[in-house]
Structure formats: C-alpha cells, structure tokens
Amino acid sequence: MATTSPERRVTLEEITALAKRRGFVFQSSEIYGGLAGFWDFGPLGAVLKRNIKNAWWHDTVELRDDVVAFDSSIVMHPSTWEASGHVAAFHDVMVDCRVCKHRFRYDHLKDTSRCPDCGSKNSFTEPRNFNLMLKTSVGPMEDTSALAYLRPETAQGIFVNFKNVYQAARKRPPFGIAQIGKAFRNEITPGNLIFRVREFEQAELEYFVPEDGKDMEAFHEWVERRKTWYASYGISSERLRFYELKPEERPHYAKAGIDVEYEFPWGWGELESIAHRGTYDLDAHMRISGKDLRFFDEETKTHQTPLLIESSAGMDRTMLTVLVDAYDREQVVDQNGKPADRTVLRFHPKLSPVQAAVFSLARNKPDLVERARNIERALRPHFRTQYDEGNIGALYRRQDEIGTPFCITVDYETLDDASVTVRDRDSMRQDRIGEAHLRNYLEERT
Ligand code: ATP
C-alpha cells in the first residue's frame, strides 16, 4: 500500500543507471570504451522507442486521409545540402580547451574565460566554425567528386520528392507527407544521455498548403494536434510547454514557430519544433535544381508553390521525456509491514514495453507453472506480455521498474476456481479476476 507519494524529480544519474540496469539504453560499442554521442537501445528500449514511433505514426499518418507515408534515403545528392543551406550555414561556433583538450559549444559556455571541465583560465582556442554534417564518400574513388553527407535532417528527402509524391499519390495541397528516419549531426558536445546525440531519429511531417489565406489556420491546427498527442500519452502538462518564438528568434522566412520543450532534470530542452516555413524550401530546390516543383491549382488555374507547415520531433528526445516523466519513487509498506522504497515507471499502458507480466506463485509446482505459461501464451497475440517466476515481491519490484501496468499471478486458488490476481502498477490494488475475463479486463485498461 502506498503511504506517501512525494513530488520528487529524477536526476540524470538515476535515469541513466535505470536505463542501463533494465536494458533501455546502452552506450554504443561499450566493450571498446564507447563512442561519444552514439547509443544502442536494449530489449526494453527498442520496444519503447518503437511504441513511441508507432504512436506518432498512427496519429500523424494513419488517422489522416490527407497525409501520406514516405521513406527517403539517408545519403542524398550533395546539391541537396547546398540548396538547404546546410553546407554554407549548418555549423556551431566552438572552442577547445588547450589544457584538457575538451571541446565546447561557444554559445553554451556560461563563462568564456574559464574551462568548466578542468578549471583552467584563458585556455580556450579562438572560436571556430564547425560543420555539423557527417561526411562519407560514395563510389570507388575517394576524391572530392565522391563526397556525400549523412542527412542531418529527414525533411529534405520530402522536399526534393514533392512533385513525385503529389503526382503519384494524386493529392493536391492541402496535404502532408510524413516520415520517420535516422539523421546525423556531428554535435560538438553530445550529452545528457540520449538528449543530444550524433545519430538520432526524427519524425517529420511536412504539410503543404495553398496560398488561400488559411495557412495560419493549418499551422494552429497542427500545434493543437501535437498538444493533444503529448497529453493523450500522459506527459505532465506542467513540465511541457509550447514556446512561441518571437520574430527575432525565427529564421527570416518563417511566418510562425513554436518550440515544444520539456523540463528535463537539467532544465528546459527542445523536443520538437513546429514552423511555418513559407515557400523557402521548395524555392531553394527549384533554384538549385532548375526543376519546377509547383503544383497546378485547379481553382485559380495557376501554378503555385505551396506554403509549408513543418512539425519535426526527435524520437530519442521524446523517449527520454517519456522515461523521465514516468519516473517516480515512493515509500510503501512491504508485505512484512516494513517501510520500503518503490521505483516505478508510470508509462502510459500503450507505450509500456511490457503490458502484462504473468507469474507463477512457485517455480517448483509444475501445474502452477504450466497454468501461468498457458495464460501468458493466450494473451501474447493481444498484448506485450512476459512470463516470469520467483519471489513475488521481487517480481513486482522488477516490473514496477520497467513500467509494466499489470501483473497477473497464478496461485493455488487458480487451480480450484480459475481465477488469478491482477495487480495494478499505479494503485497497487489487487483484483481477483476469472481467467476467462482477463483479456477483456486488460483490453479495457490498455
Ligand atoms: P538543438 O537546438 O537542440 O540543437 P535544433 O533546433 O537544431 O536542436 P531541429 O533542427 O529543429 O533541432 O531538429 C528537430 C528535432 O530533432 C529537435 O527538436 C530534436 O528533437 C531533434 N534533434 C535535433 N538534433 C538532435 C540531436 N543532436 N540529438 C537528438 N535529437 C536531436
């Protein structure tokens, strides 16, 4: 039984330790000492991330008859990045500490005279530009004609295909193109677990609208839709804000912009940006490629460049948000009446990597084990399930820590009356449910 539930924020160290211990996130190539800015997703992390991407995809693509799916290549023609401005302008200004050799983003330094890592005074190099695109070469010759980049954002793959898609999908603006995919940025100071990384996933919606005066309406509709999405997965509204960019904070061509920010253990950080980008992107590609990317507007009988509303969300940052937001610790009274600490991830049941865990009360009783295994097998096609056995208190603790909303225990009574105990993660209430009703019971609650 929960006795207290103090409002308590998780630290980055706690979330990092839990993420590793329970198999959400591991450092990439850890046995070789790791590689800064790259991470691997463990058995639970891979499922959690997939669930988040599916939740985005479902709402942004599947529920909309005016949005089509897309999946473009990671390596694109290098001219793409000239048109997009990334070759000329996609850089951060950085400095190196001459003493400890650590590198910092100049705009992130609170004090530009002293190194925050080793404390040396006046040890920084002159600020330098640092292009954030990762380079590779394509084909057998590694000369400059083979130079290519790993895309720093997924959006450009959609822009250069605008005409292909609208013709093939038989769509006319207003309509959207969406994709989820990897993006790469050679960040100078990766950090905060998976917040700032060098390889990440973006979920992007590019919504093209005609110039009919309803573009701001479309912008606000998408902002509202994204607000509802975060709320429907239970992200706490006090820690999420939709920050409206002032004109001087937006690129010159953008008519409106909103940053979606979450209050992480170290402060507010951007998860997603929603922007009205005008005709800027398609204009640039038409200029550099010489190809016409306009559509024919039947009403006005003119060729038009559509206006663009963009929503660009980082899936890794969203996953970190879901982890941090779900984290809770509380004091409970254990089975022996003693106070104990309980760590629990209060994931929304749709996002939980495991939705129902099934236990046998004793591992040395074959009929209990078999019964529990059969129940788990029967639920498996409908929910994400897991079978386990052992000390019930320890099993609950483990499932609480990985955010499993329901634990089902098979005991001796089950053999008599075909009922099981279902324990609710959040309230820790235990219900006695007939085996035959389990599926319905879980369906209603997940
Ligand atoms: P920041 O200012 O934090 O570097 P940004 O403004 O450059 O981010 P955008 O270019 O707007 O980011 O990218 C859209 C989204 O992609 C971001 O809101 C974020 O969720 C995600 N993203 C961008 N860079 C990274 C990164 N290095 N690691 C993880 N996610 C990222």
Side-chain angles (χ1 to χ4, degrees):
M1 193 185 73
T3 49
T4 53
S5 184
E7 170 63 22
R8 188 187 160 284
R9 292 304 312 273
V10 61
T11 64
L12 184 64
E13 289 69 32
E14 283 168 322
I15 209 81
T16 304
L18 186 143
K20 171 152 195 213
R21 184 168 72 247
R22 294 303 187 188
F24 285 96
V25 182
F26 304 122
Q27 205 183 6
S28 159
S29 22
E30 195 185 66
I31 62 166
Y32 292 106
L35 185 62
F38 296 90
W39 295 89
D40 295 335
F41 295 89
L44 295 177
V47 180
L48 179 61
K49 198 171 177 202
R50 180 174 293 259
N51 295 341
I52 292 169
K53 289 191 284 181
N54 287 348
W56 184 91
W57 189 258
H58 182 62
D59 193 63
T60 310
V61 185
E62 290 172 346
L63 290 182
R64 305 278 308 206
D65 62 4
D66 58 347
V67 176
V68 296
F70 202 62
D71 190 354
S72 66
S73 65
I74 287 173
V75 177
M76 299 175 65
H77 192 289
S79 297
T80 307
W81 309 111
E82 275 158 39
S84 70
H86 284 86
V87 172
F90 192 52
H91 49 68
D92 283 337
V93 177
M94 53 102 196
V95 292
D96 291 320
C97 169
R98 290 193 190 88
V99 179
C100 70
K101 310 284 179 219
H102 289 178
R103 178 169 283 179
F104 305 93
R105 246 171 85 166
Y106 194 63
D107 63 331
H108 281 181
L109 288 174
K110 288 200 183 78
D111 172 359
T112 54
S113 66
R114 180 191 285 271
C115 173
D117 281 5
C118 71
S120 304
K121 245 187 133 44
N122 301 322
S123 61
F124 290 131
T125 58
E126 284 299 303
R128 285 182 284 162
N129 284 339
F130 185 85
N131 195 291
L132 294 180
M133 282 198 291
L134 281 170
K135 296 186 185 77
T136 186
S137 57
V138 173
M141 310 283 279
E142 285 189 23
D143 60 11
T144 50
S145 64
L147 173 69
Y149 301 98
L150 302 187
R151 66 179 175 202
E153 60 177 35
T154 54
Q156 301 299 328
I158 293 178
F159 302 150
V160 301
N161 276 285
F162 171 70
K163 201 152 191 173
N164 279 340
V165 175
Y166 97 76
Q167 285 173 343
R170 296 167 53 243
K171 294 280 183 203
R172 289 282 176 278
F175 84 99
I177 307 176
Q179 78 168 325
I180 299 179
K182 290 266 184 176
F184 301 81
R185 294 184 189 178
N186 201 7
E187 296 280 356
I188 294 158
T189 45
N192 291 333
L193 195 61
I194 52 171
F195 181 81
R196 186 173 300 286
V197 290
R198 291 176 169 146
E199 173 177 342
F200 55 99
E201 274 183 286
Q202 287 185 319
E204 290 196 300
L205 165 80
E206 307 298 339
Y207 197 74
F208 300 94
V209 296
E211 274 202 64
D212 60 1
K214 296 196 195 131
D215 50 316
M216 283 308 292
E217 220 170 274
F219 174 80
H220 291 301
E221 267 170 33
W222 278 106
V223 170
E224 284 311 309
R225 196 169 179 98
R226 296 298 299 144
K227 269 189 193 159
T228 309
W229 186 84
Y230 286 105
S232 69
Y233 288 97
I235 303 301
S236 81
S237 56
E238 309 89 75
R239 295 185 200 148
L240 191 75
R241 69 182 182 200
F242 280 61
Y243 174 78
E244 198 174 325
L245 298 176
K246 301 182 188 82
E248 65 272 19
E249 294 170 319
R250 306 193 294 253
H252 63 91
Y253 49 80
K255 198 162 152 187
I258 292 219
D259 281 352
V260 185
E261 298 179 335
Y262 183 78
E263 194 180 14
F264 290 101
W266 63 89
W268 292 92
E270 177 193 317
L271 294 186
E272 171 176 353
S273 91
I274 308 173
H276 183 318
R277 297 178 59 86
T279 59
Y280 179 81
D281 305 279
L282 291 182
D283 282 344
H285 285 297
M286 287 196 277
R287 199 168 54 245
I288 303 284
S289 71
K291 299 283 175 351
D292 185 4
L293 297 176
R294 295 173 304 168
F295 72 101
F296 186 71
D297 187 58
E298 297 290 349
E299 255 170 52
T300 57
K301 303 282 178 218
T302 54
H303 290 277
Q304 272 191 35
T305 309
L307 303 168
L308 177 68
I309 312 297
E310 173 181 85
S311 143
S312 173
M315 294 292 96
D316 310 76
R317 288 186 187 179
T318 306
M319 174 168 160
L320 186 58
T321 300
V322 167
L323 273 170
V324 167
D325 205 60
Y327 189 98
D328 195 10
R329 262 177 84 180
E330 60 181 6
Q331 274 243 311
V332 294
V333 177
D334 72 9
Q335 282 134 318
N336 309 317
K338 297 219 176 80
D341 257 353
R342 175 170 100 113
T343 300
V344 51
L345 292 182
R346 301 188 192 277
F347 288 140
H348 187 284
K350 276 210 167 68
L351 300 181
S352 293
V354 179
Q355 294 174 303
V358 184
F359 311 142
S360 155
L361 189 62
R363 61 158 63 102
N364 54 359
K365 295 281 182 256
D367 37 358
L368 289 192
V369 168
E370 195 192 325
R371 190 70 162 252
R373 282 197 177 277
N374 284 341
I375 291 175
E376 192 269 342
R377 241 176 256 132
L379 294 174
R380 183 164 278 265
H382 313 288
F383 310 97
R384 293 182 292 276
T385 59
Q386 194 173 73
Y387 170 80
D388 211 348
E389 54 193 30
N391 171 289
I392 288 294
L395 292 173
Y396 282 161
R397 266 202 302 284
R398 175 172 179 276
Q399 295 297 336
D400 282 345
E401 260 203 23
I402 67 171
T404 305
F406 299 101
C407 290
I408 298 161
T409 305
V410 168
D411 53 25
Y412 297 103
E413 265 180 79
T414 311
L415 303 178
D416 292 335
D417 65 0
S419 71
V420 292
T421 300
V422 182
R423 183 251 201 190
D424 178 282
R425 175 195 68 200
D426 295 334
S427 64
M428 293 195 286
R429 215 185 73 188
Q430 307 198 359
D431 282 343
R432 202 71 197 174
I433 308 285
E435 261 180 71
H437 304 296
L438 261 183
R439 187 174 158 193
N440 260 348
Y441 181 93
L442 294 177
E443 239 148 39
E444 276 167 18
R445 289 163 177 79
T446 55

